[in-house]
Each structure stands twice: as C-alpha cells, then as structure tokens.
Amino acid sequence: GQNIDQPTEMTATEGAIVQINCTYQTSGFNGLFWYQQHAGEAPTFLSYNVLDGLEEKGRFSSFLSRSKGYSYLLLKELQMKDSASYLCLYNQGGKLIFGQGTELSVKP
Amino acid sequence: GAVVSQHPSWVICKSGTSVKIECRSLDFQATTMFWYRQFPKQSLMLMATSNEGSKATYEQGVEKDKFLINHASLTLSTLTVTSAHPEDSSFYICSAGSGRSTYEQYFGPGTRLTVT
C-alpha cells in the first residue's frame, strides 16, 4: 500500500522543542523527506533520510528507522515563523508519496 | 539550488474555459516532472508524472482528457485544465528532478486557479 501517517495538528510554545512523527509502509522504500509548507506557498525542502539514524541540520533534525517504517522531525528553539505545515513524504519506487501534513502552531 | 518556475502564479477563469499552466526548470534539465493539486488544508495529491517525449502517467481517478499534460522539452511541462469547473479551483504545484537522484525534487511556487 501507500499509507503514510502523521498527526494532523500540533501546538507548541516558542522556544520549546517539538517532535513530529511519521509512519509509512516500508515496501519499495527509497528515501524519506520532510518539507515545510507555509499557507499558499509551495513546499520547501528540510531534510532527506535514506539510512537509519539522525540527521542534524541546525535547529531541525530528522530521524529514520527503516525496519520500523518510522521517522520524526525534531524542531528545537521554536520560533513563531516555524508555524507551518510539515509534510512527511517518501520515495516509493521513484514516486513521491505524501503524508497529509502536520499543522504546527507555535504560540508565544 | 535548482529553480523551478510556474506561470501564471494565479489565474481566474470562467467555467467552461481552458487554462494552461507552465512549469519550467530554469537551470537544469528535467526528464521527469510531477504535477500535484492541493485543496485548502489538505496535502498535495499527485495528479500525474510528466515524461519528456512520451505520454504522461496519470494517477487513479485523474481524468487524462481533462488535465492535458505536455512535456515537449527537457525544461518545460504544461498542464492544461480543459473545460474548467468551479470544483477544479485549487492550488496546482509542479516539481522536477534534476535526474542525478530522485532525492533532488524541486517544487515550483504553485499556481492558484479559481474557476467562477
């Protein structure tokens, strides 16, 4: 199947840390991406994981466990501008499969 | 990084007319481009895969006669919404890969279509 699942919405406080989880069907897996999308705009690339482990890039980190079909995006030192939709998607045999997105609201 | 442009960025058309949306890779060649549609507060939905020099591959439920895709060159793919109806109003986004790896998918800025 092409199932990919992430929470619909999350709320966090400015300066805090938030973890957005994503689970996916493992068949045909060829890499997992996280994108950030602000309302009315195209998605922008955040991270790419193809091997197990944690990839750190500034305030954002992404983790992958291929055997569990699980990934998370970790956002540290949250800022108001981080309020956006975060899309988990994976490459299944060359085709990108999108999750429904997690709407993150950062409160002061 | 690689840049993908779309034109127009927004368009309003009357019901029954056709609208063409262009997707261009500005500084790289893209043998494959993807077209997505996004309704408010929903995720992107893949409509079709556009292959240079061959017919597009449409996802299940997407009418190929209504959404015409032409990928005539390595830098341009077009999506034509024929006989548009209000329910076709949506945000249309394309993405393109440079071909070096499927990891490198670059998104266009999107086209907001409103059908009245």
Side-chain angles (χ1 to χ4, degrees):
Chain A
Q2 298 182 345
N3 292 332
I4 180 168
D5 194 38
Q6 55 182 125
T8 305
E9 52 188 26
M10 299 181 71
T11 302
T13 305
E14 190 176 16
I17 299 173
V18 70
Q19 177 174 313
I20 304 174
N21 296 322
C22 174
T23 57
Y24 62 91
Q25 291 280 348
T26 57
S27 61
F29 177 79
N30 193 22
L32 185 138
F33 307 79
W34 285 94
Y35 279 79
Q36 179 191 62
Q37 187 178 25
H38 286 101
E41 299 179 12
T44 55
F45 173 80
L46 291 179
S47 67
Y48 171 67
N49 294 70
V50 66
L51 300 176
D52 292 348
L54 186 68
E55 296 275 343
E56 297 187 71
K57 191 183 295 184
R59 292 191 299 117
F60 294 178
S61 302
S62 58
F63 171 83
L64 177 68
S65 170
R66 288 172 295 172
S67 62
K68 296 181 180 178
Y70 168 68
S71 173
Y72 67 72
L73 179 70
L74 192 71
L75 293 80
K76 304 176 184 175
E77 302 170 16
L78 280 173
Q79 302 175 8
M80 299 299 291
K81 67 178 182 179
D82 297 329
S83 293
S85 182
Y86 290 85
L87 305 175
C88 171
L89 53 149
Y90 75 105
N91 184 327
Q92 186 184 52
K95 184 185 294 185
L96 295 182
I97 309 299
F98 285 82
Q100 74 271 25
T102 298
E103 192 75 32
L104 174 66
S105 298
V106 180
K107 308 290 186 184
Chain B
V3 178
V4 175
S5 70
Q6 278 184 244
H7 177 79
S9 55
W10 60 270
V11 58
I12 301 173
C13 71
K14 292 187 176 180
S15 187
T17 61
S18 295
V19 174
K20 180 186 285 188
I21 302 170
E22 294 184 349
C23 177
R24 292 183 185 272
S25 55
L26 297 186
D27 50 2
F28 66 98
Q29 294 183 331
T31 55
T32 303
M33 292 183 174
F34 299 90
W35 285 97
Y36 305 87
R37 180 167 51 181
Q38 187 177 36
F39 294 106
K41 302 234 179 245
Q42 295 186 26
S43 186
L44 289 105
M45 292 174 51
L46 179 64
M47 298 176 67
T49 302
S50 172
N51 303 295
E52 188 270 334
S54 65
K55 292 182 178 180
T57 304
Y58 291 82
E59 294 301 297
Q60 192 172 7
V62 178
E63 301 174 58
K64 59 183 179 181
D65 294 331
K66 179 170 181 62
F67 298 100
L68 301 178
I69 291 174
N70 186 287
H71 195 153
S73 76
L74 288 170
T75 59
L76 173 65
S77 175
T78 60
L79 168 68
T80 301
V81 183
T82 63
S83 187
H85 289 108
E87 55 265 31
D88 298 325
S89 298
S90 186
F91 192 47
Y92 291 87
I93 301 176
C94 70
S95 75
S98 68
R100 291 197 296 273
S101 79
T102 45
Y103 140 67
E104 294 183 87
Q105 281 291 322
Y106 303 96
F107 287 89
T111 297
R112 174 75 59 192
L113 170 64
T114 302
V115 184
T116 61

